[in-house]
Amino acid sequence: MKNIRNFCIIAHIDHGKSTLADRLLQSTGTISDRDMQAQVLDDMDLEREKGITIKSHAIQINYPYTNTNPNKKEIPNGNYILNLIDTPGHVDFSYEVSRALAACEGALLLVDATQGIQAQTISNLYLAIDNDLEIIPVINKIDMDGAMIPEVKDQIIELIGCKEEDILLASGKSGIGIEEILKAIIERIPGPTGNPDAPLQALIFDSVFNSFRGIIVYYRIFNGSIKKGDKVKFFSTDKEYEADEVGILKLGMEKKDRVECGDVGYIITGIKNAKEVKVGDTLTTVGNPTDQRIDGFEEVKPMVFAGIFPVNTDEFEELRDCMEKLQLNDASLTFELETSQALGFGFRCGFLGLLHMEIIQERLEREFNQTVITTVPNVSFIAYTQKGEKIDVHNPSTLPDPTRTEHIEEPYIKAQIISKPEYIGNIMTLCISKRGMLIHQGYLSPTRVELTFEMPLTEIVFDFYDKLKSQTRGYASFDYHPIGFRDSDIVRMDILLNGEKVDALSALIHRSRAQEFGRKLCDKLKELLTRQQFQISIQAAIGAKVIARENISAMRKDVTAKCYGGDISRKRKLLEKQKEGKKRMKQVGNVEIPQEAFLAVLKLD
């Protein structure tokens, strides 16, 4: 165990985590040159296309270490096993990062030499400090033209309080400083502590579904060891299984007869039911079980809720299976049953953010061939009735009647934005227009300013991030965390087509924004709905009060074309006859809503 090191790489988006991981794997010969490709650990097509890491990936590196450091004489030479977990950088996937941190003793904190410290760097650093990890600061991309090495060093020293000589300089692209990083990992990060003879106690930090072998579970052993053929059980379900295969994670999976204490590995037991595996659970043996579960693992809190429905209602059961398999691989996805008059049966899903929602939709289409309709995303509110009941509202249709409601509370967040001083005005205007309040403003350095706002989560769900990037020409980084619920004037806005409610287009919105939002939505629907033989009225209403309206005129045949000259009553008779027909058609006709209409709501300016 003295020769094992478990570590992960944390950083802001695009600071070079995956590229640095590539160099560590290449320089230690973990991956042959034939298998090497850029961002080798990002194995999803989606990750490569978008250039982001979505999942944490674990891989084991072997490194022969020779001690040349006079200050660290106690560390012996020899072969060391390094378990690396590469983590995502986007704010929506911070749950993946927290799971990776729970399985490690140390972290490489990566900072881009051309960009300096960003908001997500700080929030990931706090996550690591909360988990008592040893932090190794690394400045990446030092060989780029715009590298500001002295300034970034000062920022890191101010943030962590380390010495200047503790900061390593590296370049993931050209391989500078890789040896120093490997040596620092061995010298600075402590080996795992645990008792190899104690009962097995392993933390499950990820799982993945394989259609031939069932569910493959990834874990980190804290005490004891596990060998092939052992009877094992999960702490939360108490069900027993036999370990058909155990091993460690190289680029693929490598079989072993046993996995020792302190190591990261996988187990295949032939489990087929997705509900039986929970990420964050503790794995132990049946013969000699541990009596306590591993703590320090937080439950996921979804931020954004949206309905996901199959395009054909017959495919509902199939969609349920796919969602369960996807939940295995992405523990931050939560879902429950929901029915809608417009769309039939589906699920109300909880996501960590809008990017997460987009990724889940893409993965359902690519990995499971499921085409789905997604409804308007919204956040969860708390409604208090006059009888004193407290109702969690994830869905506009569950909001109690306004006459019975005492008050409604909406979630607030603390948003931290780091940018250049010249964009302060733009950021202020944007945040205040989104009902934000400035709490704090401070300079991290002469060219970097940090602004802290308190604002409603509802306002940042849609397009806040895009607008922030365009207002600051991409020079702002943004991070947020929830700070609780506050009293607010929230109303439910319904969309009516010919007087009938379309429940999938209902939205919960602040009263001051409802009229403007309703008008835009009616305009957008007027463009998207196809014209019918009868007139369609599109209305936005709060309760019984209509706040916006648009009409789509009927397609009509020119019935008076054959009348030229003659008496006006002849023409009137034909027009009246046509009008009667349209009226009857309106009673029986129904309006089909295209998939684009549900997505259009997201794209409103």
Side-chain angles (χ1 to χ4, degrees):
M1 268 171 61
K2 292 198 293 289
N3 287 23
I4 296 177
R5 298 288 183 271
N6 297 312
F7 72 101
C8 60
I9 306 178
I10 53 177
H12 187 76
I13 312 157
D14 269 349
H15 280 204
K17 293 178 295 300
S18 300
T19 311
L20 183 74
D22 288 354
R23 288 299 83 74
L24 292 171
L25 299 176
Q26 206 175 9
S27 67
T28 53
T30 306
I31 289 180
S32 64
D33 288 344
R34 191 180 64 182
D35 292 332
M36 196 61 211
Q37 52 177 332
Q39 285 88 37
V40 68
L41 291 181
D42 293 351
D43 51 10
M44 244 185 265
D45 296 344
L46 210 54
E47 293 181 310
R48 297 189 167 281
E49 280 168 34
K50 290 185 181 282
I52 55 175
T53 304
I54 295 169
K55 291 284 303 161
S56 301
H57 297 273
I59 190 163
Q60 194 173 92
I61 299 171
N62 293 65
Y63 177 65
Y65 168 73
T66 316
N67 192 341
T68 52
N69 188 342
N71 302 329
K72 296 277 182 182
K73 284 184 179 157
E74 70 281 3
I75 295 174
N77 296 342
N79 277 323
Y80 281 76
I81 294 171
L82 312 179
N83 289 311
L84 154 68
I85 302 179
D86 179 26
T87 63
H90 197 281
V91 60
D92 277 11
F93 303 113
S94 54
Y95 183 62
E96 282 285 328
V97 180
S98 75
R99 289 174 17 201
L101 295 173
C104 293
E105 277 87 25
L108 296 181
L109 178 75
L110 211 58
V111 183
D112 186 330
T114 60
Q115 295 181 42
I117 283 177
Q118 305 271 345
Q120 199 58 32
T121 320
I122 297 175
S123 80
N124 282 344
L125 172 71
Y126 289 154
L127 274 177
I129 291 172
D130 288 346
N131 280 337
D132 291 339
L133 298 197
E134 181 64 39
I135 310 285
I136 301 178
V138 179
I139 299 180
N140 195 19
K141 307 190 188 180
I142 57 165
D143 53 351
M144 281 181 74
D145 295 343
M148 315 171 291
I149 297 168
E151 292 94 320
V152 177
K153 272 188 176 174
D154 293 344
Q155 288 174 20
I156 292 175
I157 291 166
E158 200 172 318
L159 183 67
I160 312 179
C162 62
K163 299 190 185 80
E164 191 176 333
E165 57 269 22
D166 290 346
I167 301 172
L168 303 176
L169 302 180
S171 164
K173 202 114 206 150
S174 51
I176 302 168
I178 297 299
E179 277 297 312
E180 287 77 7
I181 291 176
L182 287 163
K183 287 192 167 163
I185 290 166
I186 289 166
E187 289 165 5
R188 296 194 211 169
I189 295 176
T193 54
N195 180 356
D197 305 320
L200 172 69
Q201 193 184 31
L203 171 76
I204 297 171
F205 67 89
D206 206 354
S207 56
V208 58
F209 185 81
N210 181 313
S211 42
F212 302 108
R213 314 206 56 183
I215 293 163
I216 302 169
V217 176
Y218 298 150
Y219 54 82
R220 149 81 203 271
I221 300 183
F222 283 91
N223 286 311
S225 64
I226 187 170
K227 59 181 188 295
K228 188 181 171 180
D230 273 354
K231 270 265 174 47
V232 295
K233 67 173 185 176
F234 297 123
F235 221 89
S236 63
T237 56
D238 228 19
K239 293 201 170 177
E240 300 180 7
Y241 308 96
E242 189 168 320
D244 297 339
E245 187 182 307
V246 296
I248 56 165
L249 299 156
K250 290 285 202 197
L251 186 56
M253 297 185 297
E254 196 173 290
K255 279 192 213 176
K256 292 269 185 204
D257 286 332
R258 71 189 285 139
V259 181
E260 299 290 343
C261 182
D263 232 333
V264 173
Y266 73 91
I267 178 171
I268 298 174
T269 56
I271 306 171
K272 289 283 189 286
N273 184 357
K275 287 197 178 71
E276 293 173 24
V277 179
K278 286 191 176 68
V279 169
D281 198 1
T282 304
L283 181 71
T284 186
T285 48
V286 176
N288 185 9
T290 177
D291 52 357
Q292 65 188 80
R293 61 185 316 145
I294 298 166
D295 286 337
F297 203 86
E298 57 190 83
E299 275 296 307
V300 56
K301 295 184 196 72
M303 289 288 190
V304 175
F305 293 86
I308 285 188
F309 295 86
V311 174
N312 296 335
T313 41
D314 316 345
E315 293 172 2
F316 170 71
E317 282 300 328
E318 207 177 312
L319 180 65
R320 186 206 296 257
D321 281 354
C322 298
M323 295 289 279
E324 284 178 357
K325 286 173 189 169
L326 195 55
Q327 194 178 31
L328 274 179
N329 195 234
D330 185 345
S332 47
L333 170 69
T334 58
F335 62 89
E336 55 189 40
L337 264 175
E338 182 185 41
T339 51
S340 150
Q341 290 154 1
L343 299 168
F345 288 107
F347 297 99
R348 191 83 195 160
C349 303
F351 307 99
L352 298 180
L354 274 194
L355 177 70
H356 186 212
M357 174 177 144
E358 196 183 311
I359 297 290
I360 291 291
Q361 206 176 336
E362 283 265 337
R363 286 184 69 181
L364 279 171
E365 283 187 17
R366 289 185 187 206
E367 295 172 28
F368 303 103
N369 293 328
Q370 288 287 323
T371 330
V372 292
I373 294 175
T374 315
T375 63
V376 190
N378 65 293
V379 302
S380 61
F381 299 90
I382 297 177
Y384 291 90
T385 62
Q386 286 169 345
K387 290 181 180 171
E389 296 168 329
K390 177 181 169 186
I391 301 171
D392 279 340
V393 181
H394 298 323
N395 186 344
S397 60
T398 56
L399 188 73
D401 193 82
T403 52
R404 296 194 298 116
T405 313
E406 180 73 34
H407 66 277
I408 298 173
E409 293 183 351
E410 67 174 327
Y412 265 69
I413 54 157
K414 193 175 207 168
Q416 182 187 34
I417 297 168
I418 296 177
S419 184
K420 292 188 167 183
E422 56 260 40
Y423 301 118
I424 291 179
N426 293 2
I427 295 172
M428 293 267 206
T429 312
L430 174 66
C431 292
I432 289 165
S433 74
K434 298 276 187 190
R435 299 193 284 136
M437 291 181 300
L438 181 66
I439 301 297
H440 171 75
Q441 176 181 341
Y443 282 83
L444 299 172
S445 74
T447 55
R448 301 175 70 71
V449 64
E450 179 187 12
L451 301 165
T452 311
F453 288 90
E454 284 184 2
M455 55 203 296
L457 181 62
T458 330
E459 299 290 344
I460 69 154
V461 161
F462 285 123
D463 53 359
F464 178 79
Y465 199 60
D466 298 343
K467 280 189 175 162
L468 179 69
K469 285 288 181 196
S470 59
Q471 296 279 6
T472 57
R473 297 192 186 157
Y475 278 110
S477 61
F478 168 70
D479 183 51
Y480 65 86
H481 58 268
I483 51 171
F485 285 76
R486 294 184 188 175
D487 209 353
S488 189
D489 188 7
I490 297 291
V491 291
R492 182 173 85 204
M493 189 187 76
D494 294 311
I495 295 291
L496 312 172
L497 292 182
N498 283 347
E500 289 204 9
K501 255 187 217 172
V502 183
D503 56 356
L505 285 173
S506 297
L508 295 169
I509 192 163
H510 194 264
R511 196 182 292 273
S512 63
R513 307 288 294 275
Q515 195 156 2
E516 176 199 1
F517 184 71
R519 199 171 290 134
K520 281 183 182 167
L521 191 48
C522 289
D523 270 348
K524 196 77 181 170
L525 287 173
K526 186 178 178 181
E527 287 171 32
L528 290 168
L529 295 180
T530 46
R531 285 175 70 187
Q532 304 284 349
Q533 295 277 0
F534 51 90
Q535 185 190 23
I536 304 171
S537 65
I538 305 167
Q539 295 167 308
I542 296 173
K545 184 184 175 190
V546 175
I547 53 172
R549 174 179 175 132
E550 289 290 339
N551 283 338
I552 300 177
S553 53
M555 288 193 289
R556 54 201 307 165
K557 179 181 167 188
D558 189 356
V559 288
T560 59
K562 60 187 176 189
C563 303
Y564 48 95
D567 189 12
I568 184 71
S569 59
R570 175 83 187 120
K571 288 186 180 177
R572 196 168 289 144
K573 183 181 171 190
L574 288 167
L575 288 167
E576 287 295 328
K577 191 176 172 189
Q578 184 188 35
K579 196 170 161 188
E580 276 300 310
K582 298 278 183 208
K583 195 172 169 187
R584 194 163 60 249
M585 207 181 281
K586 190 172 181 176
Q587 288 167 355
V588 294
N590 65 341
V591 185
E592 284 288 316
I593 304 170
Q595 160 78 1
E596 293 82 55
F598 298 108
L599 300 178
V601 188
L602 308 183
K603 312 234 171 3
L604 288 178
D605 297 332

